[in-house]
Amino acid sequence: MVEQEGIRRYVAHIILWIGIAIVAFPVYIAIVASTQDNALIANGQMSLLPGGHFFQTYYQTILVGTSGSTREPVGNMMLNSLVMALLIAVGKIAISIISAYAIVYFRFPFRMPIFWLIFITLMLPVEVRIYPTYKIVADLHMLDSYAGLSLPLIASATATLLFRQFFMTVPDELLEASRIDGAGPLRFFWDTLLPLSRTNMAALFVILFILGWNQYLWPLLITTRDDMQTIQIGIRKMITTSDALTEWPIVMATAVLAMLPPVFVVVAMQKLFVRGLVETEK
C-alpha cells in the first residue's frame, strides 16, 4: 500500500514537472531570443542558449525604443499600462463595494431592479457597447488620456455581485452592535465591512489588475499618439509585415517585460488571493 502511494506521488510529480516545462519553455525561448542577434533569429539560426546582447537589447528596449513602426521606449509603454491597470482595478473595487453596500444595507425605491440592471450588463458583449463608449469618450475630449483609458472600464457588474453576495453573509448582529455603539452608516462601512472584505478585495485586485494590464482593443481605439500607447499595442506595432524589418530581440524583450508586473502582483498577493477565493467563513 505504501509502495503504491509512493508510485502515485512519483507519477503525479512527473506530470506536474512536464506541465511546468510546457508552460515555461515558451517563456525561456522569449528570454533567449531577447539576447540573440536579430540576423540569426530572422534566418532561423537562433541558439537555445543565451546570447551576448542582453544588456544592449534591454537598454534599447526600455529607454530608446525600436527604429521601426514605433519609436517609443517600452518603459513609457509600461508606465501607461501600469497606470491604466491600477486605475481600473482600484476604481472597479471602489465603485463595486460602495454599490453593493448601498444595495444590501439601504432600503430605497427600485433597489432590486437597479441591481438587476447592473447584473444584465454582464450579458452585453464588448462589441455592442464599444462604439457608443468611444463616442462618449471622444465627445468629452478624453482621447489619448489616462481618464479615457480607464474610466469607461471601471464599472464592474461582476465585482458588485461578488461584494453583494459577501455582504449578505455578514451577520446582522454586527450591524446591530455598531448601531448600539453609535456608529453611523459610514463608520460601519469603514470599521466593519472593509476589514472583513480585505481578502475579497485582494483577490479581485489581482484579477482586475491583470484584466486591465492585458487590455488591447480599447487602448487601440482611443490612443493615437505613441506616447500614450500601452505595452500590448506596442508589441503589435513592433511586429511589422516584413520579417526583415522586425527587430525580434526587442519584441521578445518587450514580451518578457510585459509579463513581469502581473507576475509580481500575483506573487506579492498570493496568500490573500488564495484566501479570498477559497475562504468560506469570514
Side-chain angles (χ1 to χ4, degrees):
M1 198 69 180
V2 176
E3 293 181 356
Q4 290 181 354
E5 289 294 330
I7 294 175
R8 290 176 183 174
R9 187 177 304 173
Y10 184 73
V11 172
H13 278 77
I14 292 177
I15 296 175
L16 178 62
W17 281 107
I18 292 175
I20 292 174
I22 293 174
V23 173
F25 185 70
V27 179
Y28 173 77
I29 291 297
I31 296 174
V32 170
S34 66
T35 65
Q36 301 283 335
D37 184 76
N38 190 39
L40 293 177
I41 299 176
N43 294 330
Q45 300 175 352
M46 187 189 79
S47 172
L48 291 179
L49 299 177
H53 299 274
F54 178 85
F55 293 104
Q56 175 187 347
T57 300
Y58 281 89
Y59 173 82
Q60 181 179 354
T61 302
I62 297 173
L63 300 177
V64 180
T66 67
S67 59
S69 57
T70 174
R71 301 176 183 273
E72 194 66 23
V74 171
N76 188 52
M77 299 180 197
M78 293 187 68
L79 177 62
N80 294 335
S81 293
L82 180 63
V83 172
M84 177 184 175
L86 287 175
L87 288 176
I88 290 175
V90 174
K92 279 179 177 288
I93 292 174
I95 292 178
S96 299
I97 197 170
I98 294 173
S99 302
Y101 176 61
I103 291 171
V104 174
Y105 289 99
F106 289 86
R107 300 295 181 264
F108 53 89
F110 307 108
R111 177 172 61 96
M112 291 311 297
I114 290 174
F115 168 73
W116 287 112
L117 283 175
I118 296 174
F119 184 76
I120 287 173
T121 60
L122 287 173
M123 305 177 187
L124 296 176
V126 176
E127 290 78 8
V128 171
R129 34 191 184 85
I130 199 76
Y131 175 74
T133 306
Y134 175 83
K135 184 68 168 58
I136 293 173
V137 170
D139 291 343
L140 293 176
H141 305 288
M142 291 195 301
L143 298 178
D144 292 315
S145 67
Y146 290 131
L149 282 171
S150 57
L151 284 180
L153 303 177
I154 280 181
S156 175
T158 304
T160 302
L161 174 64
L162 292 176
F163 280 122
R164 174 185 177 268
Q165 296 305 111
F166 167 67
F167 289 161
M168 292 179 67
T169 65
V170 175
D172 294 335
E173 289 78 8
L174 290 177
L175 178 59
E176 295 298 329
S178 298
R179 288 175 176 172
I180 294 174
D181 291 339
L186 291 179
R187 185 68 178 272
F188 172 70
F189 174 74
W190 186 263
D191 290 346
T192 304
L193 289 183
L194 280 184
L196 290 175
S197 306
R198 187 167 61 101
T199 55
N200 299 74
M201 289 190 292
L204 278 172
F205 178 84
V206 174
I207 296 172
L208 297 176
F209 179 87
I210 296 175
L211 176 68
W213 180 269
N214 290 330
Q215 285 293 321
Y216 175 77
L217 179 59
W218 181 247
L220 180 65
L221 287 176
I222 72 160
T223 55
T224 58
R225 304 199 320 254
D226 284 347
D227 62 331
M228 285 303 300
Q229 68 188 3
T230 61
I231 194 166
Q232 314 298 338
I233 307 302
I235 293 175
R236 178 62 187 89
K237 287 187 176 181
M238 290 176 187
I239 304 176
T240 57
T241 55
S242 174
D243 288 340
L245 298 177
T246 302
E247 299 177 69
W248 288 110
I250 294 181
V251 174
M252 294 295 103
T254 304
V256 172
L257 292 171
M259 292 186 290
L260 296 182
V263 170
F264 174 78
V265 170
V266 171
V267 172
M269 305 186 70
Q270 181 181 7
K271 291 183 179 180
L272 289 174
F273 176 69
V274 174
R275 285 176 57 190
L277 291 180
V278 303
E279 195 173 59
T280 57
E281 295 183 2
K282 304 295 179 181

